[in-house]
Amino acid sequence: MARCTPLPDSILILDHGSQYTQLIARRVRELNVYCEIHPFSKAQQFANDPNIKGVILSGSPSSVHEPNAPDTDLTGILGKLPVLAVCYGAQLIAKRAGAIVERSKIREYGRAHLSTISDHRLFDGIEAGSQVWMSHGDSITAPSEAMEVLASTKDVPVAAFALNDQLTFAVQFHPEVYHTTDGAQLLHNFVIGICGCAGDWTPHGFVQMTVDRLRADLGSDQVVLALSGGVDSSVAALLLDRAIGDQLHCIFVDNGLLRKDEYARVLESYRHLGLNITGVDAREDFITALKGLEDPETKRKAVGRTFIEVFDREAHRITDVKWLAQGTIYPDVIESVSVNGPSVTIKSHHNVGGLPDRMKLKVVEPLRLLFKDEVRRVGKELGLDPNILGRHPFPGPGLSIRILGEVTAERVALLQEVDHIFIQGLRDEGLYDQVWQAGAILLPVKSVGVMGDERTYENAVALRAVTSTDGMTADWCHLPYEFLARISNSIINRVKGVNRVVYDISSKPPATIEWE
């Protein structure tokens, strides 16, 4: 599992540490072309790979003038495969080609416009004046004789260039970001037009390929998978079920920290899909493990440890299990590898991260090639229940980290009611699908209130709803005031023990999506 194996018609992305590298991969995938990200130091491992049709060099926070700057070995790649170098990659190629690359007196950051564009196929469909996004501290101030300048801006004389007699191209700007208005067209021109990729990386094709591979790899072996009710584990289960049927044993644990009635509802959805699934009522185990704990990290560890114990116990009821299936997706793989190339490790926040060594099982990860949005498209192809497919992200420790302070059965029940009113309200108003993630938080705060003619001193709750594309950054969702007023009124009237509702209007960063 050290690295993915490129598929036919692949684009290789060599990462120099740019914050935008994942975005390059997403844009290529949007062209229905498969691509992989690997550290720049691994370039030579792919120099003779027949599946790779082109290479993209990412940007970097480094300067080409730094002694320890990434120095990618492109032997066997330049002159053999089409190459598109972005930002730092462009400066690296230019410096090697004899151009003058100088440190900018002022970092060039933000919007610019291409004032001149050559008649070149890299810029097919792009006209002068097109907006681009700059983010660099070095500038190519003068080209060499080995280069043909393809585009300029008012302040950047070499905004794009090609190496003579090679299919090597470079852009000083970032075509992958939204602010480069014709960036998708430029990437299309390179990936489809110049590299000749077919653009047939589709959910249907992925399902067929993955099912075939799973059948070949797993044979008649038994496989165990922990289902969470979320998208990733559900799609992984459906792929495995299509490949090996009842050889897959799914375990769905009720930790008592799920949303109201979610355990029964999701379990029924899984059974309706024909999965071989065992439901486990472990509510008492988790509440006992959380007794007296208030520190957020301690609570997380208690939930994780208890989950491992419960899952381990249930998995041992199944005979001859040889594989542990996990819903690892591609961002997990990327984020666990630095640009200097240490081996891939499963991230510690995975619920079953501690199981493989303990259970002596081999690991199978059917989704490790996919981004989150691709997982959803594959799930739709497989017929996953829309209620699961469109489900908001939900933390592995569940409501335990949305209850600030000690977790008790009574506090869980209270928060489940508050959360249910909020989430159901979003659904009823047609707002649910406009929100990336939403939930309620029980605060360790009591406040004075008046209900009828009586004074109350009860709990305060916070509502949180954010918009995002990947959860890495998020903004608070501007829900209608009228909606928030109705929800607040409903919570206070229907949930005994709550007399105050507040709405969180913090963005990430500096806040996080969850409070703990």
Side-chain angles (χ1 to χ4, degrees), residues 108-154:
E108 292 167 335
Y109 182 85
R111 294 174 177 84
H113 295 84
L114 299 178
S115 53
T116 62
I117 297 176
S118 297
D119 183 14
H120 191 281
R121 55 180 171 161
L122 184 66
F123 286 91
D124 280 351
I126 304 175
E127 298 181 356
S130 179
Q131 178 179 285
V132 296
W133 184 260
M134 297 286 186
S135 180
H136 57 92
D138 291 337
S139 290
I140 306 164
T141 55
S144 70
E145 293 182 356
M147 297 161 53
E148 175 191 356
V149 177
L150 302 181
S152 302
T153 72
K154 180 173 67 72

Side-chain angles (χ1 to χ4, degrees), residues 181-224:
T181 52
D182 292 310
Q185 180 64 45
L186 186 143
L187 289 171
H188 179 278
N189 293 342
F190 176 73
V191 171
I192 305 294
I194 294 171
C195 298
C197 293
D200 56 2
W201 171 250
T202 63
H204 178 73
F206 173 82
V207 169
Q208 288 186 315
M209 177 200 72
T210 303
V211 167
D212 289 343
R213 285 191 173 186
L214 290 171
R215 285 174 179 160
D217 291 344
L218 302 176
S220 59
D221 291 348
Q222 304 296 304
V223 181
V224 65

Side-chain angles (χ1 to χ4, degrees), residues 438-449:
I441 299 94
L442 178 57
L443 305 179
V445 172
K446 286 191 174 184
S447 68
V448 174

Side-chain angles (χ1 to χ4, degrees), residues 5 20 24 31 49 57-58 66 87 134 141 187 191 198 208 243 248 256 304 368 381 395-396 401 450 484 500-501 504:
T5 300
Y20 299 133
I24 298 174
L31 298 171
D49 194 316
L57 308 182
S58 85
E66 295 172 1
C87 198
M134 297 286 186
T141 55
L187 289 171
V191 171
Q208 288 186 315
L248 172 67
R368 65 184 279 111
E381 174 74 21
I401 60 167
V450 177
L484 290 172
R500 191 175 298 272
V501 177
D504 183 349

Side-chain angles (χ1 to χ4, degrees), residues 333-466:
V333 177
I334 298 167
E335 289 167 4
S336 60
V337 182
S338 80
V339 295
N340 293 315
S343 60
V344 173
T345 56
I346 300 299
K347 293 171 71 176
S348 61
H349 65 243
H350 278 221
N351 281 343
V352 290
L355 286 172
D357 288 342
R358 179 171 175 164
M359 298 178 67
K360 306 301 181 186
L361 299 178
K362 294 181 284 186
V363 177
V364 57
E365 299 168 315
L367 306 178
R368 65 184 279 111
L369 302 181
L370 302 184
F371 286 102
K372 189 76 170 187
D373 54 331
E374 294 174 317
V375 174
R376 292 187 191 278
R377 291 198 291 271
V378 168
K380 185 176 182 180
E381 174 74 21
L382 291 165
L384 181 61
D385 185 330
N387 289 325
I388 297 177
L389 192 62
R391 182 178 183 259
H392 288 176
F394 190 69
L399 297 180
S400 71
I401 60 167
R402 293 183 179 175
I403 296 174
L404 276 59
E406 184 179 5
V407 178
T408 65
E410 293 74 22
R411 299 189 83 201
V412 170
L414 184 150
L415 185 58
Q416 284 177 329
E417 291 298 328
V418 173
D419 180 85
H420 176 70
I421 291 171
F422 184 32
I423 298 300
Q424 191 59 48
L426 289 170
R427 292 187 185 280
D428 292 344
E429 292 290 323
L431 296 169
Y432 185 86
D433 292 335
Q434 299 176 30
V435 176
W436 164 265
Q437 186 171 342
I441 299 94
L442 178 57
L443 305 179
V445 172
K446 286 191 174 184
S447 68
V448 174
V450 177
M451 300 188 75
D453 294 325
E454 297 183 2
R455 174 186 181 275
T456 63
Y457 187 59
E458 294 180 337
N459 296 284
V461 296
L463 305 182
R464 178 79 157 140
V466 299

